[in-house]
């Protein structure tokens, strides 16, 4: 049987919104999305994680994305959009979802707006505000569990056993794009292509700033507070 159109399947009952986590590399989007998605029982949709999975499976999409990501540039909009549209049309998104790292360009945001309008779902954008000098420290110190994706930091959130995940003992790995020279490229791409979305969403009255400089648990509390107020 052919699948129903995406607008027939997407809603946002549980969360009340399609929540977009916006902020520069290292702002804590992934750390927070994991926690908040668990609280609400909704999918955490990270376009970066999706691309990394394609790279590790060696799919055609993965081989196109790999070199672009390793240069710290953005993957072309058409590749990102078709991947996201397919993902949010799945049944598990019917009660809402958290978008982490998407949209990242104006065309991506405009396309998402149209899609959400058709689905009668309102976006709520959480903008993580973090000082630039913190970002480099966070990114160079990040290590991620190869099994469950838990995010650590060798400076600020070290695991109990060096190199091993506290949850499942998985190996902690460093992302290939977390090298200082590539981080600088990613931060520049953010300023050039993604930062304009802050004004775009603020102008629509759907953006809330969150101080991303406090401890992770405090950031989680602040995000949960604003989601509860917006329901
Ligand atoms: P993506 O994977 O999305 O990377 P990013 O946006 O660069 O963001 P990061 O994952 O680096 O940072 P984060 O905000 O998630 O921080 P985290 O929680 O891990 O994208 C990778 C690439 O894929 C892109 O460069 C592009 O090529 C491609 N791509 C993806 N989406 C795309 C799109 N839509 N369009 C085009 N291309 C796309 O935290 C970082 C560190 O800080 C961790 O060590 C953590 O422990 C620590 N930390 C977190 N919170 C705190 C805190 N409150 N205090 C102290 N430390 C903290
Ligand atoms: Mg991330």
């Amino acid at each position: 049987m052919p699948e129903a159109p995406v607008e027939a399947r997407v809603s946002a009952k549980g969360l009340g919104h399609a929540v977009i986590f916006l902020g520069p590399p290292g702002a804590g989007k992934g750390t927070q999305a994991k926690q908040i998605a668990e609280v609400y029982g909704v999918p955490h949709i990270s376009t970066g994680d999706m691309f990394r999975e394609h790279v590790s499976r060696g799919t055609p999409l993965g081989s196109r994305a790999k070199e672009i990501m390793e240069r710290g540039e953005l993957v072309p909009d058409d590749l990102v959009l078709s991947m996201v549209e397919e993902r949010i049309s799945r049944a598990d998104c019917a009660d809402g979802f958290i978008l982490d790292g998407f949209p990242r360009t104006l065309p991506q945001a405009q396309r998402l707006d149209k899609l959400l309008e058709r689905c009668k779902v309102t976006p709520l954008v959480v903008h993580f505000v973090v000082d630039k000098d913190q970002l480099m420290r966070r990114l160079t110190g990040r290590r991620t569990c190869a099994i469950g994706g838990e995010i650590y930091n060798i400076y600020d959130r070290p695991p109990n056993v060096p190199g091993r995940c506290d949850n499942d003992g998985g190996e902690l790995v460093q992302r290939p794009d977390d090298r200082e020279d590539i981080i600088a490229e990613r931060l520049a791409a953010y300023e050039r292509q993604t930062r304009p979305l802050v004004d775009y969403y603020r102008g629509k009255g759907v953006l809330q700033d969150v101080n991303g400089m406090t401890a992770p648990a405090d950031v989680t509390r602040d995000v949960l507070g604003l989601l509860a107020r917006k329901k």
Side-chain angles (χ1 to χ4, degrees), residues 30 100 142 175:
D100 159 10
R142 172 169 54 195
R175 272 172 42 178

Side-chain angles (χ1 to χ4, degrees), residues 25-26 69-72 132 134-142 174-190:
M69 292 170 78
E70 286 180 359
R71 286 199 300 270
K132 257 193 177 161
Q134 260 290 313
L135 300 174
M136 189 60 86
R137 175 186 167 90
R138 288 189 184 184
L139 292 168
T140 52
R142 172 169 54 195
Q174 189 166 21
R175 272 172 42 178
D177 59 349
D178 275 349
R179 274 184 13 212
E180 262 187 56
D181 52 338
I182 314 291
I183 293 170
E185 289 300 326
R186 289 162 57 204
L187 293 172
Y190 179 81

Side-chain angles (χ1 to χ4, degrees), residues 29-31 46 49 52 100 142 151 175:
K29 304 182 296 294
T31 301
S46 156
D49 287 349
R52 281 184 285 278
D100 159 10
R142 172 169 54 195
I151 302 169
R175 272 172 42 178

